[in-house]
Amino acid sequence: MILHRDAIQATRETRRHLSWQETFLAATVLCLLASAQQVSGQYVHNPRRIAEGPDGQVLVTDRTAKAVVGVDKKTLEPVWSFPLPGEGAPFGIATWRNLVFVGDTQTQNVRVYRLVMPDGRGNNAAPPTLEFLYNLGHTNPGQPGEIVNPTDIAVDAKQRRVFVLDTGEKKVKIYDVEGNLRHLFTPVDEAGYIMRPVAIAVDEARQEVLVSDYGNPAGSFTISTPPRILIYNYDGQLLFQINGNRTTQPSTKFVRPQGLVADGIGRIFLTAALRGQILVLDRASGMLMGELGSPGNEPEQLALPLDLLLDEKSGDLFVTNNRGARRVEVLRRAGRLR
Amino acid sequence: MKKTLSIALTSLSLASLVLFWPWPAQSQQRRWNTMMTCMACHVDPASGSIHGGFRGLKGLPKSDIDIVCLSCHDGSDPLIPEAAVHDLPPTGTSEFGTWTIHCLDCHSNHYDMLAGDGTGNYNLKMLGQLVLEASSTDDVARIRKPIISDPLGNNGETNNRRRYEDDSLAGWECSSGIYDDSACADDLTSTDDDDVRKLVFYTNIDTDATNWAQATAPYNGACNSCHTRAGNHRRDGTGTQNHKLPTVCTQCHTHPVGWTDRGQ
């Protein structure tokens, strides 16, 4: 970490005195240097989004540490961290094979890394390395990208597509895994309004995009819209909308919906951030099927959960708990079919 | 008929001017603030509706209020300033132990709408205008409501009225936990740890470092008003007081990362 901080300080110095060519060269060198500065993480300070990691781990973006943190699925302890270069602000994260997609709200890019295990195998004893490959859209490193605020990312592994929610432009931008923009659409609701999209997920089986949206419940000065989940096909056509104000189903009530995941068999797991719970919703009807977890500040309780990951093999639900105990929590086997 | 039409057109023009006038940045922030409604904070997390879904926040732990604030100030909307609590997580370690400066320890959202020194300057960033009772002793949120019209204050002391009306008298708790404690109110420039501090937070906070930290008494910047153990800019004048000044603190320590210097 000290080396990394020195590197950033050096970057600042070069920004003051060097030409842009020299700055670019220095930044490139520092990027390589940063990728080698793997340190053992002690704790997760400000966890945001979560994604599947290398064997037995999940990956979490830590906004305060400005790093991607690997967390052991069994112990829930951070085992390694990777600071983003410069003043990076990691937010959204997703993985596909050995590629890691990290949304950087500071540089307005989704940075694509290759995850390199030290001995080429899934060995947790030594920290892996993230090797920078390119930005989505192939914008130049160090330059502002084409994704203003990449707050969440999802991947369709079969279709080899990366879905990025850009809450700056309020667009869903769809790239191929090579980094080329293929398609984009605006996540509007049934009435044609776009309010405040927050997080995204894909249902590979149904080929659907799910967007959680705060809406504008109070409706002052603007149209009143409920908090909701908006469901589109891959072309961006709205298929269904689950409102959190009981208008879709009397049982379905939520505010501040954050990260979500679809299990491919008709269930949607949604983090209710303000409520400190995970809601299980029926994709077809929008009906509330269950409530998972309990709010609170103690370990194993949820306080401002922001995202979740469903381990399809074990049924474990991993949740980024932004306040309270401030760590990755797990609801063991909660995602299994009963 | 003509008169009515004229009045209507004039009203429409005035309304358009107000809505679309290129207000300076500070005013734009203020306009955005006014778009925040009660329910932005007071919505009942389990209600799922507006009507009947009101939740009073008085008496909740301040850590719960943090969640209310951060659920919107999470960085997912570029129009809403991103913030993180100034703290050390329970799983972390530091030479100061575990500590937390909650949102309400610095900000007072209710009073912002009535803030202003009468010269066009506003209380920037919703910084606290009123003393929070016992704000760090029992971890319970209590926000004083602005009682501007109170002639002499609840207990008849003139200081009370002065503090309600003069928004330069922002501050923190008194050691007694009593808002109207004259011992606190009369000693606004004291460097004791437990007295009200008269904050300066009205000039350009992006270019004037004195809003945040001052190298000389009364040390009433936003940072050194609280710091009692930090190495730099303590409220009692000890520690390093010229750390990086006149560089504005927020050039390195930013709210989105909880004012820490990680990675800087």
Side-chain angles (χ1 to χ4, degrees):
Chain A
M1 180 63 82
I2 292 171
L3 283 174
H4 178 64
R5 291 171 66 167
D6 290 342
I8 290 167
Q9 185 60 40
T11 303
R12 286 189 174 148
E13 292 299 323
T14 53
R15 278 179 188 158
R16 290 189 196 114
H17 302 297
L18 301 181
S19 67
W20 72 269
Q21 292 97 338
E22 292 166 318
T23 304
F24 178 77
L25 182 63
T28 306
V29 171
L30 287 170
C31 281
L32 293 172
L33 178 65
S35 67
Q37 302 305 316
Q38 301 297 319
V39 294
S40 296
Q42 294 181 338
Y43 54 88
V44 183
H45 200 136
N46 189 352
R48 296 289 176 88
R49 302 291 186 217
I50 190 169
E52 190 67 60
D55 291 346
Q57 296 177 8
V58 294
L59 299 182
V60 175
T61 48
D62 187 333
R63 178 70 176 87
T64 296
K66 302 177 181 178
V68 174
V69 181
V71 176
D72 187 271
K73 281 184 175 179
K74 288 181 180 173
T75 65
L76 304 180
E77 294 294 328
V79 288
W80 59 275
S81 69
F82 174 82
L84 261 62
E87 300 296 318
F91 209 128
I93 188 168
T95 54
W96 176 75
R97 295 184 179 173
N98 66 340
L99 296 186
V100 181
F101 304 88
V102 183
D104 186 342
T105 56
Q106 183 68 31
T107 64
Q108 304 183 343
N109 274 304
V110 170
R111 302 173 63 85
V112 185
Y113 294 93
R114 178 185 292 122
L115 182 72
V116 181
M117 303 305 288
D119 57 359
R121 294 172 304 181
N123 182 359
N124 293 335
T129 301
L130 291 182
E131 179 184 301
F132 177 72
L133 298 178
Y134 52 84
N135 292 321
L136 288 187
H138 295 289
T139 50
N140 291 329
Q143 300 294 318
E146 59 187 33
I147 306 167
V148 177
N149 212 38
T151 56
D152 205 7
I153 307 169
V155 171
D156 183 329
K158 293 175 185 169
Q159 300 290 324
R160 298 163 58 96
R161 291 289 184 269
V162 184
F163 297 76
V164 182
L165 179 62
D166 182 351
T167 56
E169 293 187 353
K170 300 194 177 183
K171 301 276 187 191
V172 173
K173 298 178 177 177
I174 305 168
Y175 294 82
D176 57 36
V177 293
E178 286 78 29
N180 305 303
L181 180 65
R182 303 298 291 259
H183 180 52
L184 57 83
F185 66 88
T186 305
V188 294
D189 62 13
E190 291 165 344
Y193 294 114
I194 176 171
M195 285 301 166
R196 196 182 158 189
V198 176
I200 192 172
V202 295
D203 186 332
E204 291 187 30
R206 296 169 182 264
Q207 297 207 352
E208 292 176 349
V209 182
L210 298 88
V211 176
S212 60
D213 189 318
Y214 275 16
N216 184 29
S220 59
F221 300 99
T222 50
I223 194 73
S224 174
T225 56
R228 59 269 179 92
I229 298 172
L230 302 163
I231 304 174
Y232 307 88
N233 63 18
Y234 280 6
D235 293 327
Q237 292 176 310
L238 183 66
L239 304 175
F240 191 47
Q241 177 173 329
I242 302 174
N243 293 330
N245 65 349
R246 311 184 197 207
T247 53
T248 303
Q249 290 287 345
S251 61
T252 303
K253 46 188 181 179
F254 56 80
V255 294
R256 312 281 158 82
Q258 279 276 350
L260 69 172
V261 63
D263 68 355
I265 54 172
R267 294 182 303 173
I268 299 170
F269 295 86
L270 173 72
T271 48
L274 201 55
R275 191 167 162 178
Q277 281 191 307
I278 307 299
L279 306 182
V280 188
L281 302 168
D282 177 44
R283 156 64 184 87
S285 65
M287 186 177 292
L288 181 70
M289 301 170 70
E291 300 166 325
L292 305 172
S294 58
N297 293 317
E298 301 301 319
E300 301 181 6
Q301 294 182 320
L302 300 179
L304 195 63
L306 292 181
D307 200 12
L308 76 170
L309 171 74
L310 173 62
D311 186 319
E312 293 180 358
K313 290 179 183 174
S314 64
D316 292 345
L317 275 174
F318 295 92
V319 183
T320 48
N321 206 28
N322 191 265
R323 299 300 301 165
R326 209 89 61 80
R327 62 175 197 170
V328 173
E329 297 288 357
V330 62
L331 304 170
R332 298 285 181 200
R333 302 163 64 89
R336 281 198 166 187
L337 283 174
R338 291 171 184 159
Chain B
M1 179 67 184
K2 217 172 185 179
K3 193 178 176 182
T4 309
L5 188 65
S6 172
I7 291 170
L9 283 173
T10 306
S11 304
L12 192 65
S13 304
L14 285 172
S16 301
L17 272 175
V18 171
L19 285 172
F20 300 110
W21 187 263
W23 301 97
Q26 185 173 299
S27 297
Q28 281 185 14
Q29 182 62 48
R30 192 162 177 77
R31 285 178 68 215
W32 177 255
N33 291 345
T34 60
M35 291 176 72
M36 267 187 73
T37 61
C38 307
M39 297 308 289
C41 301
H42 286 284
V43 63
D44 184 342
S47 72
S49 67
I50 299 302
H51 302 294
F54 185 91
R55 176 177 69 154
L57 302 177
K58 186 178 180 181
L60 285 180
K62 284 195 287 186
S63 54
D64 283 10
I65 308 296
D66 292 342
I67 290 173
V68 173
C69 302
L70 295 174
S71 68
C72 279
H73 291 273
D74 65 341
S76 62
D77 188 336
L79 293 176
I80 301 174
E82 186 180 1
V85 172
H86 187 36
D87 69 352
L88 185 76
T91 48
T93 55
S94 81
E95 57 187 305
F96 307 124
T98 300
W99 49 274
T100 302
I101 307 296
H102 298 282
C103 302
L104 287 182
D105 290 332
C106 296
H107 298 282
S108 179
N109 16 354
H110 279 168
Y111 200 63
D112 182 65
M113 288 183 286
L114 296 171
D117 63 1
T119 62
N121 293 321
Y122 295 111
N123 174 31
L124 302 174
K125 308 295 184 189
M126 288 188 176
L127 208 69
Q129 293 293 301
L130 299 172
V131 175
L132 303 178
E133 290 177 284
S135 62
S136 62
T137 54
D138 62 358
D139 198 36
V140 173
R142 304 182 186 89
I143 302 179
R144 286 254 174 193
K145 294 179 180 178
I147 312 174
I148 296 282
S149 59
D150 190 356
L152 289 175
N154 293 327
N155 62 0
E157 292 184 13
T158 53
N159 270 336
N160 198 24
R161 174 179 167 78
R162 184 162 67 90
R163 292 173 64 184
Y164 282 137
E165 291 193 339
D166 184 350
D167 57 18
S168 68
L169 300 175
W172 267 252
E173 64 187 314
C174 298
S175 57
S176 63
I178 301 171
Y179 170 71
D180 297 323
D181 190 335
S182 57
C184 284
D186 289 340
D187 194 15
L188 295 173
T189 58
S190 166
T191 56
D192 293 344
D193 282 352
D194 54 5
D195 282 335
V196 172
R197 187 58 51 91
K198 179 184 178 183
L199 274 181
V200 178
F201 211 70
Y202 294 102
T203 56
N204 193 331
I205 58 173
D206 294 324
T207 56
D208 186 351
T210 59
N211 290 291
W212 303 92
Q214 297 163 13
T216 56
Y219 310 108
N220 57 355
C223 299
N224 51 11
S225 288
C226 266
H227 280 176
T228 57
R229 291 180 294 174
N232 306 316
H233 302 302
R234 291 181 194 152
R235 62 178 290 159
D236 63 358
T238 62
T240 306
Q241 289 297 338
N242 59 354
H243 166 69
K244 302 292 184 185
L245 290 178
T247 303
V248 178
C249 303
T250 50
Q251 287 191 14
C252 298
H253 309 278
T254 62
H255 213 338
V257 295
W259 306 115
T260 62
D261 62 350
R262 281 173 173 246
Q264 302 291 330

